[in-house]
Amino acid sequence: MLITRNLKMADVIHMDYTLLPTINRFGISLGYGEKTVEEICQKHGVNVDFFLEVINSFHDKNYFPEKKFRAFSLKYIIDYLKNAHKSYLEYKVPKIERLIDKLVEVSDLKKQTFLLLKNFFQEYVNELKIHIKREEEEVYPYIINLEKSFLDKKIPKKLQEKLQVYSIGKYEKEHDNIEEKLFDLKNILIKYVPMQKNNNLCNNILSELFKLEEDIKEHSEMEERVMIPQVKAMEKALKTGKFDVEEI
Amino acid sequence: MVILIAEKSDITRTGIRYILHELDKNQIVKELENPEKFRRTIEKEKPFLVFASADFLNDSFFLSIKNSKEKPIFVGINVDTIALSVFNFLSETIGFTSTKADILRILQRFSVAQTKEIFGKNDNELTTREIDVVREIAKGLTNKEIADKLFLSTHTIVTHRKNITRKLGIKTASGLTVYAIINNLIEIN
Ligand SMILES: [Fe+2]
Ligand SMILES: [Fe+2]
């Protein structure tokens, strides 16, 4: 069932509490009272249509309305993507790190193995950080600039020069699958780590890994299926001077 | 590959059919409203998957198809109160709170089961050659280097790697290194 603007926000949580972190990403936290989704969004200055599409695509894994997403300003999308980065680096990843540390700490027999897992996860975190850094320092600023020029329908000289040597296609080509290592780690835990008594801890780690992987997958889809095509259309418009981009 | 929905309620039937078609618009879906025709319909349509509500499911039905060769897979619809003996014949169940994702999962589960049957027995253990390759990957060698060392072509190594990834569910080289150490294929230094 799709979530709509007239539902009470509290009921949305009763329906699917796993949406909470995603809702937080919009700067909306608990204490909804009797307010509807629309009212809460208004109160926090959030675009309710964009909010609904994002929430629904998390709520229903088969729902991903790229066409609808592409109708929103890239600024909304990038704000959202940045908040997601933040939640990975400040919340989700440290949480897994703490759990793995704990696992190393409490284990006696298999310490070596768990240290190995710890290293492996650390490698992953480094890759993730580099990936995110590039997006935030290079790619997103370029896009924000590009969208501004697109809306103004004029190209500053600097951007014109940049467009000659750079295009989003370059980022697209190099946009790697950052969930691959997570996938491996999950399988190593599920299949190959001999467990004795740390069941709960390992279950926790696994479920956090599953959640992070799913979240990042959704995130990459937003970048690849929404952001990149939209940027491509703008690049084309700015290069050719034809701004009536109806079909993106 | 036919899917049959056996259910008295129009609304439920239509809902399931709608979702099935959303997931795959080419899926052939047959519907049945009358429990009396259940067995005959299955014999005639030969569905591979049947969604059926409690009205259609009982001991004598399952007894009657017990010896037929091509039995479909049964998914119960709202079968919370059904007898345990009948419940045991069901491979999955769905209810009022089920979502499109649940149905997708069920479809994936059983279409995979079918392809597995075609390929036959479990071949998920690594072969000796594949273990050799894992060992070298874990040491950090490239495909080319491994090929030279084992007197094989790079192409063969690539094939081995694909099979290793499929069997172990590990894609990255550092993941394979962890695997190799845990399984004592290499020493840690
Ligand atoms: Fe990102
Ligand atoms: Fe990314």
Side-chain angles (χ1 to χ4, degrees), chain A residues 85 131-132 135 140 171 175-176 178 219-220 223-224 227:
Chain A
H85 287 168
H131 184 110
I132 288 177
E135 285 176 349
Y140 295 171
Y171 161 75
H175 195 231
D176 43 1
I178 37 172
H219 180 91
S220 300
E223 290 175 338
E224 285 174 3
M227 185 178 82

Side-chain angles (χ1 to χ4, degrees), chain A residues 62 181 183-184 187 191-192, chain B residues 104 168-169 171-172 174-175 182:
Chain A
N62 297 307
K181 272 212 167 73
F183 176 87
D184 286 3
N187 266 327
K191 297 182 176 176
Y192 303 116
Chain B
L104 177 65
L168 303 181
K171 294 179 186 166
T172 66
S174 44
I182 292 179

Side-chain angles (χ1 to χ4, degrees), chain A residues 3 18 35 38 48 52 57 63 86 100 107 115 126 135-136 141 153 157 170-171 217-218 230 234 238:
Chain A
I3 294 158
T18 64
K35 290 203 169 64
E38 186 165 31
V48 60
L52 284 170
S57 62
Y63 182 82
K86 209 170 153 213
I100 296 181
S107 63
L115 274 171
N126 292 339
E135 285 176 349
E136 297 208 347
K153 300 195 179 177
K157 196 145 189 298
K170 190 168 178 308
Y171 161 75
K217 230 194 211 150
E218 189 83 30
Q230 218 169 322
M234 287 180 186
L238 284 163

